[in-house]
Structures are given as C-alpha cells and as structure tokens.
Amino acid sequence: MSGSILSILLVLFILFPSFSIAQQDDNVIVLGMSAAFKGPTGGLGIELYRGAMAYFSYINDNGGINGRKIVIKAYDDGYNPIPTIKNTIKLIEEDKVFALFNYVGTPTVTRILPILKSNSDKHIYLFFPFTGAMPHRTPPYDEFVFNLRASYEQETGGLVENFIKIGRKKIGIFYQADAYGRSGWNGVRKTLAKYGGKIVSEATYKRGAKYSDSFTRQVQILKNAGVDAIISVGAYAACAAFIRDVRNTGWDVPIANVSFVGSEFMINLLLEEERKTGKSYTKNLINAQVVPSYEDMRLPAVKLYRDLMDRYNPMPPSELMEKDYKVLKYSFVSFEGFLNAKVMVEILKKMGNEPKREDIKKAVESIRNIDIGIDEKINFSHKKHQALDKVYYTTFKEGKFIPIRDWSEWKK
Amino acid sequence: MRMSKLFQRTLLGIILLFAIIFFTISIFSGWHLYENLKEEYKSKGTAIASSIASSSVETILNLDSATVQAMIDQYLEIEGVSYVFVIDSSGEIISHTFIPSIPPEIVELSKVHKRGIRDIKIEGKGEFLDIVAPITEGAIGFVHVGMSKNIINEKMWAVIGRQLGLLLLIFLFSLVLAYFMVNRISKPLNDLTEYAKKLLNHDFSAKVDIKSKDEIGLLANTMQSMANNINEIFDRYEYALKDAVVELQDTLAYLTTIIDNMADGLIVVDKEGVINHINPAASDMFGLAEHEMIGKNIEILGKKLVDLVNKSLKTENILSTEIALTKNRFGKAVAKSIKKEYFSEDSEAKGILGSVILIRDITQEKEIDKVKTEFITIVSHELRTPLTSILGFVEMIERKFRDTLIPKIDTSEAKISKVLNKINRDFDIIRSEGDRITSLINDILDISKLESGAVKWNFEEISIEEVIFDAYRALSALFEQRGIPFKHTIQSSLPKIYADKERLIQVMINLLSNALKFTEKGYIACKAELKNNEILVSIEDTGTGIPASDINKIFEKFKQVGDIMRDKPKGTGLGLPISKQIIEAHGGKIWVESQVGKGSVFYFTIPLRNREVNKNESTDSR
Ligand SMILES: Nc1ncnc2c1ncn2[C@@H]1O[C@H](COP(=O)(O)OP(=O)(O)OP(=O)(O)O)[C@@H](O)[C@H]1O
Ligand SMILES: [Mg+2]
C-alpha cells in the first residue's frame, strides 16, 4: 500500500521537477524574492522579475547550473515593510530558499536586515536588492547583503556635481519620507557639503502616493525657495505626478530622478498625460541609471538581453500581477534584473556541484573581474559588497532615454 | 394612557438628573482617559525616544542618516507616534518624517527643547507632545518623538461618545420601563382624580375600582365611604325639602286664594312698571283678561296709574289717587313700593323691587258725595237769594220805620214806647239771625267750592307775619271785649312763602276766633317759626280743650264738639274743614294737640317751596 504511493510520488518528481516541493529537490536552486508586484510601484517588481527570469530561463534551458535549474519563489509585498518581513520569514523558514534575490525598495529591504543578521547561522544572504540605500551597504548589515548597483548617494552625488558644474547650485530635493528618500537626500547633502553648499529646500511625500494625488504643496515649497534644479528621490507614480504638477505651474526647472524611479514607468505616465492634455511634461528631465542603456547595442549584454526578452518574454505568476498591467518590452529595470541574474549565475557556477549556503559568502567575495557583457567588470571582496559604482545619466528625447553627453543644455 | 402631571414632572426631573449624571460621568471619564492616555503617550514617547537615542549612536557617527531614517520609520508605525526626528550635534535635522516639509514650529522647537516633554502646536497639523531624548547626553544629538494629542482627543471623544451612547441606550430602556411602572401607579391616581371630579359634579352613585392595599387604595376607600355618607345626607335633606315644598305650596295656595277672593283689585308691578301679578277683581275692574295684563306695562291701564306707579317707585310713602274704571265705576288706587329689606338706607330707591297697587271700588261713595255737594250748592243758592232780598227788605222796612214812622209816633206813651223797643229788638234779632244764616250759607258754598275745586287761587310771595297780624287786627275788638291777651312769638326774618294771602288770613281768623270762643280766661299765644323747610304756625289757648275722642272729628264738616242739643251752638262747624282744605291746598298740614280743661294748640305748616300745589292734583299725601 505505502509502496505504491511512494512510487507514484517518484514518478511525479521525475515528470515535474519544479513542483511545489521543488526546494527540497536537489536539482533546483530556489531564490526567494519579495517585491512590489502590485500597487503604485508594482511595475518594478514585475519588470525586475521578468529581466531575471529571461536569463534564468535561458540558463535552465541550457542545462542549468550543473544540472540544477534556477527558480524564483516570488511574493508580493506592495512596497510595504511589514509584508516584506512576513514574506522573508516565510521564504527562509517554509520555502527554505537558497538565497534572497531581487528585493525591491529601501524601506522594505532595510527592515529585513535584522532578520538576515539573526539568521546568520543559516547563512541567508540577500542578493542584488533593487535599492541604492545605505543601511545595507554599511555596518552592521553590509555583510549579509551583496549589491550589484551603485548607491543612491552615488547617483544623487553625481547629479549634484553635474548640476553644480553647469551653475545650478541652488538645489532642491523632493523625496519619499523614508529610508529610501533619506538615502538620496543624504547623498545630495554630503556632496553639497563638499562644495560648501546646503540643500536649499526640501519637500517630502508619503510612500504609497498615487499618480492621481496632488503634489502642488511640494511644488510650492520648492518653487518658493527659488531652487534652480530638483533632485527627485521617489517611486514612479509620485515622481511622475510631481513632475506633472511642476510643469503645470509653468516651471521648466530641470528635474533629475534616480534609478529606482523606473524611468519607463515614469515617462509612460507623463506621455499619457501629454496625450490627454496636450501639454509638454517630458522636457528637462534627467534620469540617473545604475545600468547602461539597453539601447547601447555595442554591449554584448544588451544584445543578449534583448534577444532573451524577445525569446522568453517571461511573466510572473498571474496571481502576482494586476490584470491591466502592460509589460514593458525593454526597460532599465528588467535589464537590471537580467544583469542581477547573470551575476547570480556566475556566483552559482562557482559553487560547484553541491552549492551550500555556508559557502555563498566565500564564493561571492572571491569574484574578481568577471565580464558580464557591459563595459564594467564585476568585482567583490570581503570589504566590497557592491560590484558596480558607475552611474549613467540619461534624458528623454525623441521617445527614448538617451545618454547625456553634454550637460550644458541645462546650463544656467 | 394619560400620565398624571405629578408623575410627568417627577419623570422629567429624573431625566434631568440622569442627564446631569451622564454628562458628569462622561466628562469625568473622558478627562480621566485623556490624562491616562497622555501619561501613556508620554511614557511611550519617552521609551521610543530613548530607544532610538541609545541605538543610533553609531549610525549618526557614521553620518548614515538613511539608517537612522529606517529606524525612525519603524517607530512611526506605532500608534500615537506622529513624527520622529533626529538632530545631530551641529543642530541639523538629519532624519525626519515630516510631509511635505519640516514645520517652522519644529525648527524653532528643536533649537530650544533639549530635554523632557513639551506641548507643541503645529499649524494645520494639530497639537503634539514633543519628547526629547539626548543621544549620549546630547554630545551626538537629540531624538525628538512627537506624540499626537489629536489622537488622544479623538480617542477621548470616541470613548465619551460610546459611553454616552451606551448610557443613552440604558437610559431609554429605563425610561420605557419607568413609563410603564409609573403608569401602573399613575392609573389608579387618574381613576381617583376622575372619581373626585364625578363627586364634584354630585354624581355620588359613581364607583371607583381600586383594589390595591396601598395609600391610594385606602384613599379610594375613604372617598367612596365619604361619598356614601354624603349621598345619605342628601337623601334625607331631599325628603325634608319635599315636605317643606308641599307646605310652602299649601301656604302659597292659601295666600293666592285670599288674594284672588279679595274684593279690592290687586296689581303688582316690577320696577320697570311691568305688571307681574293681578287678582280677578283687578281684571274685572279694567275689563281685561289676566293674560292681557300680565307682562304688559302699567301704561295700558291709563296715565293716572302710570304716574302713581312712577311716584311710588321713588318713595316708601303710601300714595293714592282716584281713577276711572270700566262700566262708569270709580276706584281709589293705593300704591306702596315693595322694598327689599337688606338694602342699605341710603340706596332706598335702588332697593325698591316694584309696587303693590290696591284698587277699591268707590263708585258709591263718590255718588253720595256728589249728590250731597250738589244738594248743598242748590240749597245754598236757593236759600241765599231769597235771604238777601229778605234782609234787604228788612233793612228797608227798618229804615222807613225809623226815619218816617218813629218821628210821627209819640214815644212818650209807655205802651207805644214799649212796642217801639220791642220792634227795634226784633229788627236786631232778624238782622243778626240773617247775618248768621248768610255766613252759614257762605261757608257751605265755600266748602263745596273748595271740595269741587271751583276755587280760584291767588298765589303770591307773602310774609306769614302779615297774615298773623292782619287776622289779629280783624279780631282785636273781640280780644279787647273778652279781655284776653294775645301773645305772639314770631321768629325774626322768616322767609317769604308762596301762598294765597286772603285764604291764609281766613284760616288764621278761624283758628283765633275758635280760640277766643272756647277760652274764658288766660291767654292766646301765636308762634311762627321755620322748621324742616316749612313755616310752622301754632295757636295756643288756655280754654276748654278738646276730648281725645273728638280730636279726629273736628276737621269733619258740620262737626262740633259737645252736646249740640244742650249747648248753644256757637258756629256752623265748617271753619276747621275749610281751613284744612286751604292748608292742604298749600301743601301743608293742620292738626291739633289738646288737653281737656287746660287748652288746645292748633298747628299748621306751609312748605317753603311748594308753588305747584293744586287741589285738583291727582295724588295727595297723607
Ligand atoms: N279752641 C278750641 N277750643 C275748644 N274747642 C274748639 C276749639 N276750636 C274748635 N273747637 C271745637 O271744634 C268745633 C268745630 O269748630 P269749627 O270752627 O269748625 O266750627 P264752629 O267754630 O263751631 O263754627 P264756625 O267756625 O263755622 O262758625 C267747635 O264747635 C268746637 O267744639
Ligand atoms: Mg269756628
């Protein structure tokens, strides 16, 4: 009797290797992901997932990692810390994932850091969260997190430097009132301090704000302070709405956003607004990116990315998506997800036939000068848990985000 | 169900009391909650602030405001925490949770507030408790935690609201309960009130159905037995009343019978002159049926009765008049006003309810009187005319006898002289008897004229003094002859009177001559004075006096006191009746006071203001 059930189970295992009990399967490497799939920042989680899954599918189709397939176990947290904490505990204790991967957002990630620390005996590491915040780049939590992207401080610092160069020294900041916004704010503040300056004016908004919300109060605060450049550290719905409200007052001040905004999401909202009202909302916008442009076809990674995105067009499980969501064919976000996956695969490859969590840290920290098809090499070390430092500045022109070669366009 | 006023008021009072208690309790518990929450928020805020302060030392030193932000963000999720911000040693706010910007109040506060708890009001946001915890004694910075007072207030109001709601619910429930309970008490009370009202309306047969053993039941029983007692008493009185009524009816019937069988006519009028009551005699006298008279004004019975009634209604005196009745009959109507006893003296006229008129048929008396008067007149004329010629002839014979015969007769002859003397004496007798008869006839004519109203009066302003002295003068010879002194006391400056002088002298002469006639010795005194708006004249003598039995007779015609057969008549007995007629024609009175053997005093009065006096006036006063 019991023998027959066992044999049926065995057959099932062979036929459906990625079945629900996959994490216990030696042939599968499960990465746990908690991100915003729904709500005002939902596009970030979806596109990040899609980019990563494009590459993992490619790897899995080509034999996986030493015969093991890579699977992402994903949960929606709606960009809220408490669901993120719950998801993380679930991923660690129930799903027993190999590692945490592709988390989205600063307020969410900063809150799971103590979990990582308390689970240090289980060697749970977070890979490549979609955030440039400092808490997981600095002690005491930096040892549990590996970053691919540059920090917000780097992004905003670069923006400040460029603005100062073109004579826009009165810098204002619009930011999300949380750890994410504070990271960007701190970058601006520190960089300005280097030049003996200060933030002229600042305005905050509450996380979770929708595009339909009004930001005129924030616009007034900054406008009244007479700033000549705005650095915006927020999520795409809020940032697009803020830009809309700035332009609606007839103010053409340059507004620079950081990578987290998800440039395409932001621009799509503004283009939609342009179509509706006939006004122009997409001028004088600068978007900092932490990955190269997916338009730069010189890069092998771009070519592969486009190829795999076209080929697999992966989708997250339907329950994680809002029905009316329109996928982006290519985006900086999915490209980042793609690169995250590529580095993850490199790491897993290094771990041999029997990848064990206790070996992860050693494996990652030993990575030196890996070429992932972009013009930067990947380096990790015991001290360096962030692989890339480069920030790319783009602006929206003729329907595309193109690299800024000359800032003098916005010279004061 | 109708609730009694008393209970309504009591219930209202209870409601008010409850409301006050509710309100006080709610306010108190609200306040208590507020204080408790405030304390709780203070300790909560202090705990949060110090926890942030103790764990952020390193991160601040690392200039990692994002990590600080991540930490303070967590605390923002705690209920009641409105804001958190951290200041570094330079006084700069390195992390905060304000949207859309740091309020200026906070910037100000952060400069001065370094320890403890402070209240702060942020415009547009509300009130907060700002709790500060220094990081490493302030060397590194300060943590501020803002606890929302708004939430405390909201919670307080929510609790007060809930409490009031609950209390209200309980209250409404108790109100309904109270309503029914009160009604249970109130109903018998209402029944009792209704019962009392019925008793008030003399419905003693009403019953009240309250069986309870409490005070109300007792009261109901008491009232019921009281009602029964009253009912019994009422019954007894009713019987007594019935008896009394029967008796009264008998009496009334008796009186009615008397009135109806009276020979005199009886008419009762009210004060408006409307006939209230008549008897069959009256009905017969006027030839009108009872229904033709009752309810009608007295004017249907002629002007004389109207005048009589009008006068009677104004006085208490008995008034009379003669009226013509049907079938050529005459009646004497006597009217007396009916006065209500209890009206006060000074409103006499107002107390008069009407007048009672009695009418007696005097047709026969009238007839006899008339015949007598006519007889006297005729007789007087028939007597006077021949008497005058007889007396004339006698005078002529005497004169011829004296002037022509006597000088030719020899008077020396004794026999002739004797005859002459006898003839002279006889002439004297004839003359004096003739004068007496003339005077008698004149008097009879006079009285009959006065009685028939054929007298012409000559009223004028005169003085009573003149009257007295003129009369005395006419009689002075007689006074001297009799040797009786005349005394007079006339009040000085008496007012003039409106009177017929000659007639008054006639009265005066008669009274004085009467006095002389019946006085042998002593004196005769005359007095005149003003009394009660009348001139009062008295003639006093010291003569024989008049017996009391005769006092009333002497004013009647031909009445003389004493035995006429034996005593020589000294007059005709018409003097006083004539005097009476004259005085009464002046509106005055005449009477006598006398004591046999001592003398008499005759009095008469003449009113000062009585110009309209007429003997033929329909009414006269008695
Ligand atoms: N002063 C008097 N004293 C006593 N008796 C008197 C007195 N005056 C009148 N009388 C009585 O009253 C009677 C009536 O008086 P009255 O004057 O009417 O008649 P008379 O004097 O007898 O006659 P007449 O006056 O007609 O000549 C008298 O006869 C007398 O009896
Ligand atoms: Mg006489």
Side-chain angles (χ1 to χ4, degrees), chain B residues 344-366:
Chain B
S344 59
E345 296 270 323
D346 51 275
S347 62
E348 180 184 283
K350 283 178 188 167
I352 289 168
L353 297 176
S355 191
V356 185
I357 306 153
L358 266 178
I359 302 154
R360 172 159 293 178
D361 189 336
I362 53 162
T363 316
Q364 262 183 319
E365 289 91 326
K366 200 75 180 157

PDB file of all heavy atoms in Angstrom, chain B residues 344-366:
ATOM      1  N   SER B 344     -79.325  98.843  51.875  1.00  0.00           N
ATOM      2  CA  SER B 344     -78.950  99.861  52.854  1.00  0.00           C
ATOM      3  C   SER B 344     -79.837 101.100  52.680  1.00  0.00           C
ATOM      4  O   SER B 344     -80.397 101.336  51.611  1.00  0.00           O
ATOM      5  CB  SER B 344     -77.487 100.214  52.689  1.00  0.00           C
ATOM      6  OG  SER B 344     -77.264 100.690  51.388  1.00  0.00           O
ATOM      7  N   GLU B 345     -79.897 101.897  53.760  1.00  0.00           N
ATOM      8  CA  GLU B 345     -80.807 103.032  53.833  1.00  0.00           C
ATOM      9  C   GLU B 345     -80.617 104.040  52.714  1.00  0.00           C
ATOM     10  O   GLU B 345     -81.567 104.500  52.104  1.00  0.00           O
ATOM     11  CB  GLU B 345     -80.584 103.766  55.176  1.00  0.00           C
ATOM     12  CG  GLU B 345     -80.930 102.926  56.386  1.00  0.00           C
ATOM     13  CD  GLU B 345     -82.385 103.111  56.784  1.00  0.00           C
ATOM     14  OE1 GLU B 345     -82.883 104.234  56.667  1.00  0.00           O
ATOM     15  OE2 GLU B 345     -83.005 102.113  57.189  1.00  0.00           O
ATOM     16  N   ASP B 346     -79.330 104.335  52.436  1.00  0.00           N
ATOM     17  CA  ASP B 346     -79.078 105.427  51.506  1.00  0.00           C
ATOM     18  C   ASP B 346     -79.356 105.058  50.051  1.00  0.00           C
ATOM     19  O   ASP B 346     -79.361 105.911  49.189  1.00  0.00           O
ATOM     20  CB  ASP B 346     -77.642 105.940  51.662  1.00  0.00           C
ATOM     21  CG  ASP B 346     -76.651 104.810  51.613  1.00  0.00           C
ATOM     22  OD1 ASP B 346     -76.403 104.180  52.657  1.00  0.00           O
ATOM     23  OD2 ASP B 346     -76.150 104.536  50.513  1.00  0.00           O
ATOM     24  N   SER B 347     -79.581 103.791  49.782  1.00  0.00           N
ATOM     25  CA  SER B 347     -79.903 103.434  48.400  1.00  0.00           C
ATOM     26  C   SER B 347     -81.347 102.956  48.330  1.00  0.00           C
ATOM     27  O   SER B 347     -81.645 101.959  47.695  1.00  0.00           O
ATOM     28  CB  SER B 347     -78.950 102.359  47.894  1.00  0.00           C
ATOM     29  OG  SER B 347     -79.100 101.207  48.666  1.00  0.00           O
ATOM     30  N   GLU B 348     -82.178 103.680  49.026  1.00  0.00           N
ATOM     31  CA  GLU B 348     -83.587 103.310  49.160  1.00  0.00           C
ATOM     32  C   GLU B 348     -84.246 102.994  47.818  1.00  0.00           C
ATOM     33  O   GLU B 348     -84.833 101.944  47.626  1.00  0.00           O
ATOM     34  CB  GLU B 348     -84.340 104.449  49.829  1.00  0.00           C
ATOM     35  CG  GLU B 348     -85.812 104.170  50.028  1.00  0.00           C
ATOM     36  CD  GLU B 348     -86.493 105.389  50.609  1.00  0.00           C
ATOM     37  OE1 GLU B 348     -86.358 105.637  51.821  1.00  0.00           O
ATOM     38  OE2 GLU B 348     -87.137 106.097  49.839  1.00  0.00           O
ATOM     39  N   ALA B 349     -84.053 103.926  46.892  1.00  0.00           N
ATOM     40  CA  ALA B 349     -84.705 103.769  45.598  1.00  0.00           C
ATOM     41  C   ALA B 349     -84.244 102.497  44.903  1.00  0.00           C
ATOM     42  O   ALA B 349     -85.016 101.807  44.264  1.00  0.00           O
ATOM     43  CB  ALA B 349     -84.413 104.967  44.717  1.00  0.00           C
ATOM     44  N   LYS B 350     -82.938 102.198  45.092  1.00  0.00           N
ATOM     45  CA  LYS B 350     -82.398 101.012  44.419  1.00  0.00           C
ATOM     46  C   LYS B 350     -82.949  99.736  45.011  1.00  0.00           C
ATOM     47  O   LYS B 350     -82.974  98.708  44.376  1.00  0.00           O
ATOM     48  CB  LYS B 350     -80.875 101.008  44.529  1.00  0.00           C
ATOM     49  CG  LYS B 350     -80.225 101.978  43.567  1.00  0.00           C
ATOM     50  CD  LYS B 350     -78.746 101.974  43.757  1.00  0.00           C
ATOM     51  CE  LYS B 350     -78.127 103.086  42.942  1.00  0.00           C
ATOM     52  NZ  LYS B 350     -76.748 103.310  43.332  1.00  0.00           N
ATOM     53  N   GLY B 351     -83.352  99.813  46.272  1.00  0.00           N
ATOM     54  CA  GLY B 351     -83.870  98.632  46.936  1.00  0.00           C
ATOM     55  C   GLY B 351     -85.307  98.336  46.566  1.00  0.00           C
ATOM     56  O   GLY B 351     -85.832  97.303  46.935  1.00  0.00           O
ATOM     57  N   ILE B 352     -85.937  99.213  45.836  1.00  0.00           N
ATOM     58  CA  ILE B 352     -87.358  99.036  45.513  1.00  0.00           C
ATOM     59  C   ILE B 352     -87.496  98.060  44.360  1.00  0.00           C
ATOM     60  O   ILE B 352     -86.879  98.221  43.315  1.00  0.00           O
ATOM     61  CB  ILE B 352     -88.005 100.393  45.193  1.00  0.00           C
ATOM     62  CG1 ILE B 352     -88.113 101.175  46.507  1.00  0.00           C
ATOM     63  CG2 ILE B 352     -89.367 100.224  44.539  1.00  0.00           C
ATOM     64  CD1 ILE B 352     -88.466 102.624  46.346  1.00  0.00           C
ATOM     65  N   LEU B 353     -88.260  97.014  44.597  1.00  0.00           N
ATOM     66  CA  LEU B 353     -88.406  95.965  43.596  1.00  0.00           C
ATOM     67  C   LEU B 353     -89.602  96.224  42.687  1.00  0.00           C
ATOM     68  O   LEU B 353     -89.650  95.729  41.579  1.00  0.00           O
ATOM     69  CB  LEU B 353     -88.611  94.615  44.274  1.00  0.00           C
ATOM     70  CG  LEU B 353     -87.455  94.120  45.141  1.00  0.00           C
ATOM     71  CD1 LEU B 353     -87.858  92.828  45.806  1.00  0.00           C
ATOM     72  CD2 LEU B 353     -86.219  93.925  44.282  1.00  0.00           C
ATOM     73  N   GLY B 354     -90.532  96.986  43.203  1.00  0.00           N
ATOM     74  CA  GLY B 354     -91.739  97.226  42.417  1.00  0.00           C
ATOM     75  C   GLY B 354     -92.780  97.898  43.305  1.00  0.00           C
ATOM     76  O   GLY B 354     -92.424  98.527  44.297  1.00  0.00           O
ATOM     77  N   SER B 355     -94.016  97.720  42.931  1.00  0.00           N
ATOM     78  CA  SER B 355     -95.060  98.407  43.687  1.00  0.00           C
ATOM     79  C   SER B 355     -96.318  97.545  43.729  1.00  0.00           C
ATOM     80  O   SER B 355     -96.608  96.820  42.778  1.00  0.00           O
ATOM     81  CB  SER B 355     -95.348  99.746  43.001  1.00  0.00           C
ATOM     82  OG  SER B 355     -96.158 100.529  43.815  1.00  0.00           O
ATOM     83  N   VAL B 356     -96.992  97.620  44.880  1.00  0.00           N
ATOM     84  CA  VAL B 356     -98.267  96.914  45.008  1.00  0.00           C
ATOM     85  C   VAL B 356     -99.383  97.966  44.953  1.00  0.00           C
ATOM     86  O   VAL B 356     -99.321  98.959  45.665  1.00  0.00           O
ATOM     87  CB  VAL B 356     -98.369  96.179  46.350  1.00  0.00           C
ATOM     88  CG1 VAL B 356     -99.655  95.364  46.382  1.00  0.00           C
ATOM     89  CG2 VAL B 356     -97.181  95.310  46.575  1.00  0.00           C
ATOM     90  N   ILE B 357    -100.373  97.749  44.086  1.00  0.00           N
ATOM     91  CA  ILE B 357    -101.470  98.722  43.956  1.00  0.00           C
ATOM     92  C   ILE B 357    -102.778  98.019  44.331  1.00  0.00           C
ATOM     93  O   ILE B 357    -103.083  96.950  43.794  1.00  0.00           O
ATOM     94  CB  ILE B 357    -101.567  99.247  42.514  1.00  0.00           C
ATOM     95  CG1 ILE B 357    -100.200  99.805  42.071  1.00  0.00           C
ATOM     96  CG2 ILE B 357    -102.661 100.301  42.404  1.00  0.00           C
ATOM     97  CD1 ILE B 357    -100.004  99.743  40.603  1.00  0.00           C
ATOM     98  N   LEU B 358    -103.420  98.610  45.290  1.00  0.00           N
ATOM     99  CA  LEU B 358    -104.738  98.097  45.674  1.00  0.00           C
ATOM    100  C   LEU B 358    -105.793  99.073  45.152  1.00  0.00           C
ATOM    101  O   LEU B 358    -105.633 100.285  45.277  1.00  0.00           O
ATOM    102  CB  LEU B 358    -104.842  98.023  47.190  1.00  0.00           C
ATOM    103  CG  LEU B 358    -104.481  96.679  47.823  1.00  0.00           C
ATOM    104  CD1 LEU B 358    -104.590  96.804  49.325  1.00  0.00           C
ATOM    105  CD2 LEU B 358    -105.376  95.565  47.311  1.00  0.00           C
ATOM    106  N   ILE B 359    -106.832  98.551  44.524  1.00  0.00           N
ATOM    107  CA  ILE B 359    -107.859  99.430  43.970  1.00  0.00           C
ATOM    108  C   ILE B 359    -109.223  99.076  44.609  1.00  0.00           C
ATOM    109  O   ILE B 359    -109.638  97.918  44.576  1.00  0.00           O
ATOM    110  CB  ILE B 359    -107.940  99.293  42.443  1.00  0.00           C
ATOM    111  CG1 ILE B 359    -106.548  99.618  41.832  1.00  0.00           C
ATOM    112  CG2 ILE B 359    -108.997 100.233  41.878  1.00  0.00           C
ATOM    113  CD1 ILE B 359    -106.301  98.965  40.534  1.00  0.00           C
ATOM    114  N   ARG B 360    -109.785 100.069  45.203  1.00  0.00           N
ATOM    115  CA  ARG B 360    -111.122  99.846  45.805  1.00  0.00           C
ATOM    116  C   ARG B 360    -112.175 100.568  44.969  1.00  0.00           C
ATOM    117  O   ARG B 360    -111.959 101.696  44.545  1.00  0.00           O
ATOM    118  CB  ARG B 360    -111.124 100.369  47.229  1.00  0.00           C
ATOM    119  CG  ARG B 360    -112.502 100.361  47.865  1.00  0.00           C
ATOM    120  CD  ARG B 360    -112.430 100.386  49.341  1.00  0.00           C
ATOM    121  NE  ARG B 360    -111.853  99.158  49.868  1.00  0.00           N
ATOM    122  CZ  ARG B 360    -111.640  98.962  51.173  1.00  0.00           C
ATOM    123  NH1 ARG B 360    -111.938  99.922  52.032  1.00  0.00           N
ATOM    124  NH2 ARG B 360    -111.125  97.843  51.604  1.00  0.00           N
ATOM    125  N   ASP B 361    -113.292  99.874  44.772  1.00  0.00           N
ATOM    126  CA  ASP B 361    -114.393 100.477  44.003  1.00  0.00           C
ATOM    127  C   ASP B 361    -115.110 101.483  44.908  1.00  0.00           C
ATOM    128  O   ASP B 361    -115.709 101.124  45.922  1.00  0.00           O
ATOM    129  CB  ASP B 361    -115.355  99.356  43.569  1.00  0.00           C
ATOM    130  CG  ASP B 361    -116.375  99.885  42.585  1.00  0.00           C
ATOM    131  OD1 ASP B 361    -116.617 101.103  42.599  1.00  0.00           O
ATOM    132  OD2 ASP B 361    -116.898  99.066  41.799  1.00  0.00           O
ATOM    133  N   ILE B 362    -114.958 102.805  44.561  1.00  0.00           N
ATOM    134  CA  ILE B 362    -115.585 103.832  45.404  1.00  0.00           C
ATOM    135  C   ILE B 362    -116.714 104.536  44.652  1.00  0.00           C
ATOM    136  O   ILE B 362    -117.058 105.692  44.934  1.00  0.00           O
ATOM    137  CB  ILE B 362    -114.542 104.853  45.904  1.00  0.00           C
ATOM    138  CG1 ILE B 362    -113.738 105.424  44.729  1.00  0.00           C
ATOM    139  CG2 ILE B 362    -113.610 104.235  46.933  1.00  0.00           C
ATOM    140  CD1 ILE B 362    -113.021 106.695  45.037  1.00  0.00           C
ATOM    141  N   THR B 363    -117.265 103.842  43.680  1.00  0.00           N
ATOM    142  CA  THR B 363    -118.305 104.442  42.853  1.00  0.00           C
ATOM    143  C   THR B 363    -119.457 104.990  43.718  1.00  0.00           C
ATOM    144  O   THR B 363    -119.889 106.132  43.555  1.00  0.00           O
ATOM    145  CB  THR B 363    -118.857 103.408  41.866  1.00  0.00           C
ATOM    146  OG1 THR B 363    -117.754 102.700  41.326  1.00  0.00           O
ATOM    147  CG2 THR B 363    -119.624 104.070  40.740  1.00  0.00           C
ATOM    148  N   GLN B 364    -119.834 104.150  44.679  1.00  0.00           N
ATOM    149  CA  GLN B 364    -120.996 104.541  45.505  1.00  0.00           C
ATOM    150  C   GLN B 364    -120.706 105.754  46.355  1.00  0.00           C
ATOM    151  O   GLN B 364    -121.468 106.730  46.348  1.00  0.00           O
ATOM    152  CB  GLN B 364    -121.400 103.373  46.395  1.00  0.00           C
ATOM    153  CG  GLN B 364    -122.560 102.607  45.775  1.00  0.00           C
ATOM    154  CD  GLN B 364    -123.018 101.480  46.686  1.00  0.00           C
ATOM    155  OE1 GLN B 364    -122.218 100.772  47.291  1.00  0.00           O
ATOM    156  NE2 GLN B 364    -124.322 101.315  46.780  1.00  0.00           N
ATOM    157  N   GLU B 365    -119.606 105.752  47.094  1.00  0.00           N
ATOM    158  CA  GLU B 365    -119.211 106.875  47.941  1.00  0.00           C
ATOM    159  C   GLU B 365    -119.158 108.151  47.125  1.00  0.00           C
ATOM    160  O   GLU B 365    -119.608 109.216  47.532  1.00  0.00           O
ATOM    161  CB  GLU B 365    -117.850 106.640  48.587  1.00  0.00           C
ATOM    162  CG  GLU B 365    -117.837 105.588  49.673  1.00  0.00           C
ATOM    163  CD  GLU B 365    -117.518 104.216  49.136  1.00  0.00           C
ATOM    164  OE1 GLU B 365    -117.921 103.900  47.984  1.00  0.00           O
ATOM    165  OE2 GLU B 365    -116.856 103.430  49.857  1.00  0.00           O
ATOM    166  N   LYS B 366    -118.580 108.012  45.967  1.00  0.00           N
ATOM    167  CA  LYS B 366    -118.391 109.127  45.065  1.00  0.00           C
ATOM    168  C   LYS B 366    -119.768 109.710  44.714  1.00  0.00           C
ATOM    169  O   LYS B 366    -119.975 110.932  44.730  1.00  0.00           O
ATOM    170  CB  LYS B 366    -117.692 108.576  43.822  1.00  0.00           C
ATOM    171  CG  LYS B 366    -116.963 109.557  42.940  1.00  0.00           C
ATOM    172  CD  LYS B 366    -115.664 110.023  43.519  1.00  0.00           C
ATOM    173  CE  LYS B 366    -115.087 110.985  42.506  1.00  0.00           C
ATOM    174  NZ  LYS B 366    -114.147 111.888  43.104  1.00  0.00           N
TER     175      LYS B 366
END
